[in-house]
Amino acid sequence: MMRRCPRVVVGVVMGLLAASGQAQEERTKALPLPAVDEGVQQLLEQPYLTDEERADLRVRHGVWTAEDVSLPEELAQATPPQLARAAEAALLSGDVRHRALLDERTPALLRARGMLLRGEPGDALRVLEDGEEGAGERAQVRLVRARALLDVGKREEARVLLAEAEDELAKGGVGAGGAGEGGSGEGGSARELAAMVESCVLLSRLQPAPPRGEVASPKVDFQQLLNVLAHARDNVDRLAPEPSIAEVMLLLEKNSFDQASEAMEEAIALAPRNHELWLLAGELAAQGFDFEKAERIASTLDELAAGGDSAGQGSAASLAGTMVRAMVRLRQIEGQQALSELAGISEQFPGQRRVRALRAAAHAVAFDDAAMRAELLELDKLSPGTPDGYLAAGDVLALARQYPEAAAVLAEASKRAPGWASPAVELGLSELQAGNLDGARAALEHAESLDRSNKRATNSLVLLREIAGYTTIENEHFVVRFKPGQDELLAREMLPELERIFERVTGDGLGGIRHVPAGKTTIELYPNHRWFSTRITGLPALHTFAAATGPVIAMEAPRSGPGHLVGPYDWPRVVQHEYVHTVTLSRTRNRLPHWFTEASAVMLEDRPMDWNTVQMLTSVVQRGALFDFDTINIKFVRPKKPIERAQAYAQGAWMYQFMIEHFGETSVLELMDLYARGTREEEAFGKVLRVSRAEFLQQFEEFATKQLQQWGMIEGPGVPSIDTLLESEAGKPGEGSPAEPTSALVEKWLEASPKHPLVLDLAVKFAMQSATRTKQGEAEASDIELLERHARARPMDPTAHRLLAQLYLNESKAEDLAAVGRGPVNAIPHLQFLDLREQHSTAYAAELARLFARVADEREAEVDKRSAWEDALASARRATQLSPYDATIRELAATIALRAGELAIAQQHIEALVLLEPTREVHKQRLEAAKGARR
């Protein structure tokens, strides 16, 4: 089973394994093994140990030497201790075909464990039946036998066998003081106690569900199992790795990821070559979308397995390493690539049940339902009644937002394991993301009744119980869910804006998706970041304050104060972006490349690139650092540096724009329809664009370069660079050229090339830094012509607009401005330029509202006056959308509306003020006055 876990937790889990600063070509190199625990080192140095005992300990703790595990060329000459050590080392390292594991003289328990790893449970049962049980191995043998029984589909026999371990712990049957009455199962070795705890974990998956309305009551609960492991570690054998390994498994079963991370670090330090731990670490890295780390762990697993003496391994890729690589492809929703990864080990280990489950999941996200069903049928032939394939497929289907399909297979997994919480948890979370709150609540409450220690179930139910107290309002296409109180003012204002968004996104305007999703889209407005982050935990991207899961868009209220991450933001722009995801995912059945869905959403925000993005893309193009298609998808979810995610968004939107301009507006829609049918990107490009992905990128780079030239960010054809201009200034022979431009040189160059964008940029910078001006950094009336030229030459650069807006609004410059026929209203186009790109501050919109009101007062013609008031009202509305909970902005908007004679709009803002500042009587008085004036 693949579990979802928060990325931040994976960072902690992998802390011990961190290896930063690796170059691109090193990304698949194995991670270095950590040093073994200092206590183990000291133990190995003890003089009382015999050579045999010391070798046994080195193997157990994963620090064996070649001599410890070497076997003679003629295996018949190997001694039993040699065979046992070599076999145990092979099991620890994941070398499942080591010849020691195939020799009949090897202890039965070790041989059976190897058979289970290879997918040979029937043989494992026969070996355990015929072989002799070693001293102190009873619990371990029982656990291996139960796992083999499960793999052959004898689930009830396995349950009865595992229940023996629970009974022994509960009754103290392993020794004095069981776990039942506060004891800890004190008898037995650390290995045996760890095996008994693992048996209880496995047993919890096989128990029947309790009667409706009742709660599962295991004989040994979660805390008591932790007590057993603590006793094994603290009182039996402090250096034994098995209790820490069992603790990792127990905590992961309960989704206690923070605690599991600590246990994993301890366990790996006690047994650094334990492939089972590395496999868990790789799974967690893949689950956390840390694909680079997972790939390197896969290489580590390959190296561990390759260090042995295998019989016909057949490939450098290990069984465990290959499974980790497949998990990475599954998280990337690359089903065909996952199948390719698994092809080799599927042939080598045709009975390996987990490989079969991964293959079913791969077919699921290759969107081949028939192949998935066929794979599940084959798994059922091997292991009748197993839920594992259905759980693996359902997990990735939910990740791929195939919610109806995920619900179907997860329901089947839950039906097959009615007492196991995990399938119910996955089903509940999938239904929550799909917006089916009733279904989510039912599944999660069932999961909680099965396991009250499962943190994902309990945390999600806390959220659902919070949402249950929310109110909803709706219109034709949307439902807005919000917490009663101040959020109602925003919720009600959202409805008309949401309809505008609907028309734009689903319509046939430039970039429109031309598709209407079935049913209404739900907007969940959360009062603070805590509830929002709880809602979107587990999604594979960085969602700061809004996220779409398909039919549901969750967002944090755009307000300042404690509990809010970003404060006010342009919520219509953000929701429009997220609604594009809802519509494109509906049109494509949630099947399209990550970059493509983000690109369409950014383009349909209907906002120009901001200046930081323009500068970043300029640098990227100049350095030849554009992402290819495989890299760009990964950078959305696992960038090495924060700027890489920003580049992925910006470059994707730029490519989407190029696609529409160069290949036609319908090209992107045709691609979406192919993606909906499961066509892979390379094939889809060939069918629609008639180019390969590589050819597309080449053409796009040419387009990007030309656009940067048009924007005045780089030199166009025949335009000298600044370096060339400097070189042209070389003096006498041997003197060389100036190192840096000077004010005098820039003035000279500008006279020769008055429209050169880079020279104009330098000219503005030198002008603003001039020691002769009144205040450095501030424009003067004499700069207007230069700044206007700069704005024309560099149409994406806000520098001139910001300086001109500041100049026109500077009261101390009024006299100078009047002399050249300029004044405050001349700031309007520059403020509009800046406001169009602003996402958080109300400063530009509020100032525009005031300026337009001033223009309205000055106009004489009624039509001109009305037009100015409409502009003022629009700017005031824009300010309230940026910061809907700001009373000062609401005061401004109400005042503008009253002056414009728009009493209904004024009343709306005054009602908002009553909600925001309920103790201020003046708002209530003004509200009554506004209502009276409307009667």
Side-chain angles (χ1 to χ4, degrees), residues 126 133 213 408 512 612 667 696 809:
R126 285 189 289 273
E133 186 177 292
N612 288 336
S667 63
F696 175 90
L809 296 174

Side-chain angles (χ1 to χ4, degrees), residues 773-846:
R773 71 182 45 243
T774 306
K775 186 176 181 180
Q776 286 193 346
E778 285 190 1
E780 297 176 357
S782 57
D783 299 315
I784 291 175
E785 190 273 336
L786 172 65
L787 291 172
E788 288 178 343
R789 264 197 292 157
H790 182 282
R792 289 191 296 271
R794 290 168 64 89
M796 304 298 282
D797 189 341
T799 303
H801 297 283
R802 186 179 64 253
L803 289 168
L804 286 167
Q806 291 171 342
L807 172 64
Y808 293 137
L809 296 174
N810 190 337
E811 293 182 359
S812 68
K813 307 284 187 180
E815 188 174 334
D816 294 339
L817 290 169
V820 293
R822 305 294 176 96
V825 295
N826 294 107
I828 287 176
H830 305 292
L831 290 171
Q832 288 175 320
F833 178 98
L834 297 168
D835 185 51
L836 193 59
R837 291 155 176 79
E838 181 55 49
Q839 297 190 55
H840 299 282
S841 173
T842 61
Y844 303 131

Side-chain angles (χ1 to χ4, degrees), residues 1 3 200-206 222 246-257 260 419-423 425 451 453-456:
M1 182 192 68
R3 305 172 181 86
C200 290
V201 172
L202 199 53
L203 176 64
S204 69
R205 302 180 180 185
L206 302 176
F222 173 54
E247 186 174 9
V248 172
M249 295 178 177
L250 173 61
L251 292 167
L252 289 176
E253 185 74 12
K254 306 297 183 181
N255 300 138
S256 299
F257 298 111
W420 187 16
S422 288
V425 171
D451 187 357
S453 299
N454 192 298
K455 289 195 172 181
R456 291 175 74 209

Side-chain angles (χ1 to χ4, degrees), residues 103-159:
D103 193 280
E104 292 185 357
R105 293 176 301 144
T106 297
L109 176 60
L110 298 178
R111 290 170 59 205
R113 287 170 58 194
M115 290 168 177
L116 274 185
L117 289 174
R118 294 193 298 271
E120 302 161 3
D123 292 340
L125 287 171
R126 285 189 289 273
V127 164
L128 291 175
E129 187 69 29
D130 298 338
E132 293 184 9
E133 186 177 292
E137 291 182 348
R138 182 165 178 269
Q140 298 167 70
V141 169
R142 178 172 53 205
L143 176 60
V144 173
R145 180 177 282 117
R147 285 176 171 162
L149 287 169
L150 275 178
D151 277 359
V152 298
K154 297 182 178 180
R155 298 176 64 79
E156 180 57 21
E157 287 185 45
R159 189 193 69 77

Side-chain angles (χ1 to χ4, degrees), residues 475-646:
N475 60 15
E476 185 178 356
H477 299 108
F478 295 91
V479 175
V480 181
R481 180 177 289 116
F482 60 95
K483 189 168 187 173
Q486 291 187 352
D487 289 345
E488 182 178 353
L489 74 91
L490 176 56
R492 296 197 177 281
E493 290 178 348
M494 291 178 81
L495 290 177
E497 187 68 15
L498 289 172
E499 284 302 308
R500 179 200 64 76
I501 290 171
F502 170 85
E503 295 295 337
R504 172 67 182 101
V505 173
T506 65
D508 58 2
L510 181 63
I513 309 303
R514 305 180 189 181
H515 172 81
V516 176
K520 297 183 179 184
T521 299
T522 298
I523 312 294
E524 293 180 350
L525 177 60
Y526 287 95
N528 53 46
H529 189 68
R530 174 200 167 200
W531 288 116
F532 167 74
S533 60
T534 301
R535 178 64 172 86
I536 56 93
T537 294
L539 293 187
L542 180 66
H543 299 285
T544 308
F545 43 79
T549 63
V552 178
I553 297 172
M555 60 181 284
E556 178 183 337
R559 66 194 307 172
S560 301
H564 292 275
L565 187 65
V566 296
Y569 62 88
D570 186 350
W571 72 259
R573 176 177 181 174
V574 169
V575 171
Q576 186 159 319
H577 176 110
E578 299 300 336
Y579 186 59
V580 175
H581 291 322
T582 297
V583 178
T584 55
L585 292 172
S586 172
R587 176 163 181 153
T588 64
R589 299 175 62 200
N590 298 352
R591 301 171 182 178
L592 72 171
H594 196 150
W595 81 266
F596 196 92
T597 185
E598 293 297 348
S600 59
V602 172
M603 179 177 175
L604 275 169
E605 290 176 18
D606 292 331
R607 291 291 189 274
M609 277 187 199
D610 64 44
W611 180 229
N612 288 336
T613 299
V614 172
Q615 293 178 96
M616 175 188 64
L617 289 175
T618 301
S619 173
V620 166
V621 172
Q622 287 180 317
R623 290 183 289 110
L626 289 167
F627 294 143
D628 61 30
F629 284 98
D630 293 327
T631 303
I632 195 172
N633 283 320
I634 293 173
K635 293 303 181 183
F636 280 105
V637 293
R638 184 53 62 177
K640 293 194 72 177
K641 297 175 287 188
I643 197 171
E644 291 179 337
R645 179 181 279 115

Side-chain angles (χ1 to χ4, degrees), residues 5-19 257-258 261-262 264-265 281 284-290 293 638:
C5 60
R7 294 183 307 281
V8 65
V9 173
V10 174
V12 178
V13 172
M14 304 308 297
L16 178 69
L17 312 177
F257 298 111
D258 288 321
S261 70
E262 298 173 10
M264 183 172 285
E265 290 185 9
L284 285 169
Q287 293 291 339
F289 306 96
D290 192 344
K293 185 80 69 173
R638 184 53 62 177

